[in-house]
Amino acid sequence: MASANNNSKIAELMKLVFDERQALIDGKIEGLAEISSQKQKTIESVSKYREQFSDTDVAVILSACGDLQDLYRSAQAGLVAARSRLQSVQCPSEHLKTYDAAGRNQGFQISTRERFF
């Protein structure tokens, strides 16, 4: 079992992981760098005593970090999809064409580069 000091380090690390997760969910990316820096220092401090941690302690930390990593992957996929969508809308070679009920081109084209607002 981890000592009281080690338990406080685990609690500190878990709080930072939770804070990082919440910042990512809330879109407060400006705070992620600071949290990451603090988390790195805490991990370095905790790793000096890793042999004193129980398997449960390690499993909890790994699970929380794995969930956070999945959240980062999802956020990255969302950003890639948004960028792709923006690029497709801004591409000058693509046009929005209109068709009648029979599927015939009505000859009306709007460049997607034009702004609608």
Side-chain angles (χ1 to χ4, degrees), residues 8-23 35 38-39 42 64 68:
S8 68
K9 287 293 185 186
I10 291 172
E12 181 182 347
L13 178 60
M14 294 304 293
K15 182 186 179 320
L16 289 168
V17 169
F18 175 79
D19 290 348
E20 185 175 14
R21 180 182 183 278
Q22 197 60 49
I35 293 171
Q38 291 174 356
K39 190 175 70 172
T42 303
L68 183 60

Side-chain angles (χ1 to χ4, degrees), residues 7-54:
N7 283 336
S8 68
K9 287 293 185 186
I10 291 172
E12 181 182 347
L13 178 60
M14 294 304 293
K15 182 186 179 320
L16 289 168
V17 169
F18 175 79
D19 290 348
E20 185 175 14
R21 180 182 183 278
Q22 197 60 49
L24 190 59
I25 288 171
D26 293 342
K28 297 180 180 176
I29 58 173
E30 65 278 352
L32 290 175
E34 178 60 31
I35 293 171
S36 181
S37 175
Q38 291 174 356
K39 190 175 70 172
Q40 181 63 34
K41 290 175 188 171
T42 303
I43 288 171
E44 288 171 4
S45 174
V46 166
S47 68
K48 295 175 187 173
Y49 306 102
R50 67 179 168 260
E51 65 278 347
Q52 296 176 11
F53 294 120
S54 70

